[in-house]
Amino acid sequence: MPDITLTTLVVLCLAAGAAGWIDAVVGGGGLLLLPALLLGLPHVPAAHVLGTNKAVAIVGTSGAAVAYARKAPVKVAAALRIGLAALAGSMTGAFFAAGISSEVLRPVIMVVLLAVAAFVMLRPRFGRAPEDGTAPRVTRARTVTAIVLVGGGIGLYDGLFGPGTGTFLVLALTAVLHLDLVTASATAKIVNVCTNGGALAMFAYQGNVLWQLAALMAVFNLAGGLIGARMALSRGSEFVRGVLLVVVFSLVAKLGFDQWNA
């Protein structure tokens, strides 16, 4: 455990809980958790901060995934296939990350996110369950597309850059597999467990995890994740859609701020 004040520890734990809630509903909890760790641990090496972030996040994500799997109609086998593709993609992205300039990626991602926000606002039916209760048929081609493009492509992005990966997963799964937003969020949690697990294994192997701090924050992250999953399941796609738009605009603001100060 690093030498930090009680106030800082309380703030980090509260941030972990809020991040777990955001992640469970629509993804994007890293927008809050990682900056909180960076601000709260200014003298800790960045690798340790990143490793601790993964150790905290995987607990809340796993808890939310279990809560969703019990209530939402998630195809776990398909989610695991996409997750394995995302794991391979994130490892590939991490391998090439040193040669990619984040200053180049940020404007591109900002434009994509703004386009996504406009699409979601202009298509109010996007991500809603069919009124007749019948799920659209998902062809084998769409399943393969989800594995290769959603899993591999977004996994690659996660390794290269990272911010908003969970949100992109929810949107892509909704579009490609015709899922409602609640089911897409549930599926994204399983994919996130796979990618976080691979990253955490690497950080742990390198000794870059502050385990005592991570364990304490993980308790709050798990609580936030369970609460977020239950709220999303009980309130439905309209609630997830509203949170999604807030997270997308927050991500655009953060990326814009980072680009301005680059």
Side-chain angles (χ1 to χ4, degrees), residues 94-252:
F95 180 79
F96 290 105
I100 300 295
S101 171
S102 59
E103 284 75 16
V104 174
L105 282 176
R106 284 194 197 104
V108 176
I109 301 303
M110 288 168 62
V111 171
V112 172
L113 283 169
L114 287 172
V116 164
F119 176 81
V120 172
M121 288 189 294
L122 294 173
R123 294 284 299 273
R125 296 296 308 169
F126 178 76
R128 287 188 183 180
E131 294 180 357
D132 58 6
T134 59
R137 180 175 176 271
V138 178
T139 64
R140 182 179 179 84
R142 280 187 173 271
T143 301
V144 172
T145 300
I147 293 172
V148 176
L149 294 184
V150 179
I154 295 179
L156 182 70
Y157 165 78
D158 192 17
L160 284 172
F161 195 45
T165 296
T167 305
F168 281 128
L169 280 172
V170 172
L171 290 166
L173 289 168
T174 302
V176 176
L177 295 183
H178 300 307
L179 303 177
D180 64 85
L181 284 171
V182 173
T183 305
S185 187
T187 306
K189 298 294 104 42
I190 297 175
V191 177
N192 272 343
V193 170
C194 294
T195 55
N196 284 344
L200 177 58
M202 181 58 68
F203 282 121
Y205 175 75
Q206 296 170 338
N208 291 327
V209 180
L210 302 173
W211 290 110
Q212 289 179 305
L213 177 61
L216 182 59
M217 293 177 64
V219 173
F220 289 82
N221 192 253
L222 176 60
L226 292 174
I227 293 170
R230 289 171 183 169
M231 288 181 69
L233 287 166
S234 63
R235 300 192 180 189
S237 293
E238 278 302 303
F239 171 71
V240 176
R241 183 174 179 269
V243 177
L244 173 66
L245 289 173
V246 171
V247 171
V248 166
F249 284 120
S250 298
L251 181 56
V252 170

Side-chain angles (χ1 to χ4, degrees), residues 21-48:
W21 186 91
I22 295 169
D23 252 339
V25 176
V26 76
L31 291 172
L32 176 61
L33 183 56
L34 188 56
L37 282 167
L38 289 170
L39 290 173
L41 306 173
H43 303 299
V44 172
H48 285 73

